[in-house]
Amino acid sequence: MTSASGKGPRLLLGAPIAAEIRATVEREVSAFRGKRGYAPALAVLIVGRDAPSAVYLNQILKSCAKVGIEGRLVEVPGRASAAAVRAEIERLNADTQVAGIIVQMPLPKRIPLSTVIDTLDPAKDIDGLHPRNAGLMTLGYEGFLPTTAHAAVELLKRSGIQIAGMRAVVVGRSNVVGKPAALLLLRENATVTICHSRTADLARHLKDAEIVIVAAGSPGLVTGRMLRKGAVVVDVGINVVDDRLVGDVDFASASKVASAITPVPGGVGPVTNALLLTHLVRAAQDQAQASPGHRNGALQPVGSRQ
Ligand code: NAP
């Protein structure tokens, strides 16, 4: 459980896991192309451009290119109306080569999230925003998982961290990260506590946790003093402080206590990008197999897919 030097905690790096995932995706995309004669496309919809989004989107488009997926950047002007955004999503829903659609967040304030969620075809909702996918996840059926939450738990699994029977604390309860991460840990048979901004004594809960996933968007929120000795810590947070990317965990102090910890950047982020491609290929395969009018197919319990 220690780092290569034997001094610090084991670093849970995202890059090798992401490479492993991408290699599988590349084979699947190649098989899909061979069978169907075209590359599946991922549409990335962005409403107005800002610098941090541009960096993130370019990473996704580059990852697509590496594995043979067609990455399409679809830009809607920042001043566009909700109706224009809806129309663009409907156009992508109808495009049979587009297997998956992601919408860059945050949206401009004028455009409610429901504009996207209500319009997105659940079969193309590869980032698990739609209530259909959230419901499938909650009830234990195959659906599209919110990718970042999926990545946090997949990183633990692929790093060989035992989850079953462990006491886990998730800090954050957003629909995109905290809540689904907690549900996925529960699916892996952890005993899960969810903390949030109204939790009375965060440290008290953390002190008991063997696994900690932090997704609060608050730099340095979790410090070493709050953690149990030997805890495994996954830091989902991405914050810019003094032009540097930092997580929600104070890495220096947490490293003195944790047995394993993700760095920021370089932990959850690369796994998220790679898993998004996995979701895209699955969407393409499902859509290619589905008969017209039966897009969403029959419900499949988790683990029943071939
Ligand atoms: P969000 O929607 O703002 O949710 C933050 C959650 O943290 C909320 O549930 C909030 O509680 C809770 N929280 C905030 N301050 C807290 C505190 N002091 N103590 C305890 N809980 C607190 O954010 P998000 O979209 O879930 O994202 C969380 C973080 O993950 C952000 O830093 C974001 O940039 C990062 N992120 C990373 C990736 C990646 O690939 N690595 C992807 C997406 C997001 P309430 O519900 O009570 O308000």
Side-chain angles (χ1 to χ4, degrees):
M1 277 290 208
T2 51
S3 64
S5 67
K7 283 185 187 143
R10 174 180 168 197
L11 268 187
L12 302 175
L13 297 174
I17 295 171
E20 203 175 277
I21 294 169
R22 274 198 304 271
T24 306
V25 171
E26 200 170 352
R27 283 194 297 276
E28 289 179 351
V29 171
S30 166
F32 182 93
R33 269 183 100 122
K35 198 164 168 191
R36 308 279 167 189
Y38 66 92
L42 166 64
V44 182
L45 182 71
I46 178 163
V47 186
R49 271 212 146 203
D50 65 61
S53 294
V55 173
Y56 175 66
L57 296 177
N58 282 333
Q59 276 174 2
I60 292 179
L61 295 173
K62 264 196 209 156
S63 310
C64 285
K66 270 191 203 157
V67 297
I69 290 171
E70 184 197 336
R72 277 194 212 169
L73 187 62
V74 180
E75 296 188 60
V76 176
R79 277 174 296 177
S81 64
V85 172
R86 199 176 300 121
E88 196 56 59
I89 296 173
E90 279 165 355
R91 194 183 63 73
L92 295 169
N93 282 344
D95 185 331
T96 50
Q97 286 203 359
V98 171
I101 305 166
I102 58 168
V103 181
Q104 180 60 16
M105 302 291 169
L107 290 164
K109 286 208 168 64
R110 295 168 296 98
I111 300 186
L113 184 59
S114 59
T115 303
V116 172
I117 292 177
D118 296 349
T119 315
L120 206 52
D121 179 347
K124 297 193 176 189
D125 169 36
I126 60 167
D127 213 5
L129 288 178
H130 195 280
R132 177 182 163 91
N133 284 314
L136 291 174
M137 172 184 63
T138 306
L139 299 182
Y141 289 94
E142 292 283 0
F144 291 112
L145 304 174
T147 318
T148 304
H150 187 189
V153 176
E154 192 66 20
L155 190 144
L156 289 171
K157 286 171 72 177
R158 290 189 184 236
S159 302
I161 304 288
Q162 185 181 335
I163 303 176
M166 295 290 137
R167 289 188 299 277
V169 165
V170 178
V171 183
R173 58 172 165 179
S174 73
N175 288 338
V176 284
V177 194
K179 215 181 281 171
L183 283 165
L184 293 175
L185 286 172
L186 188 62
R187 191 187 274 183
E188 298 299 325
N189 298 310
T191 301
V192 187
T193 301
I194 305 176
C195 296
H196 45 78
S197 69
R198 307 287 289 272
T199 296
D201 187 349
L202 179 62
R204 184 177 151 254
H205 295 281
L206 287 171
K207 208 66 191 172
D208 202 31
E210 292 156 304
I211 294 175
V212 176
I213 295 184
V214 191
S218 177
L221 174 67
V222 172
T223 61
R225 289 173 65 146
M226 300 163 111
L227 295 167
R228 175 190 167 92
K229 182 122 190 88
V232 174
V233 180
V234 176
D235 188 353
V236 180
I238 299 179
N239 311 286
V240 180
V241 176
D242 298 334
D243 291 332
R244 276 182 51 235
L245 277 188
V246 297
D248 290 343
V249 176
D250 176 47
F251 188 84
S253 64
S255 293
K256 296 194 176 112
V257 185
S259 63
I261 186 167
T262 57
V264 176
V268 177
V271 182
T272 303
N273 283 1
L275 278 179
L276 189 68
L277 307 178
T278 304
H279 294 186
L280 189 277
V281 175
R282 215 192 89 198
Q285 290 163 342
D286 287 354
Q287 287 160 37
Q289 274 166 21
S291 55
H294 290 84
R295 249 296 157 62
N296 297 321
L299 296 179
Q300 294 177 310
V302 166
S304 66
R305 287 176 64 88
Q306 303 274 317

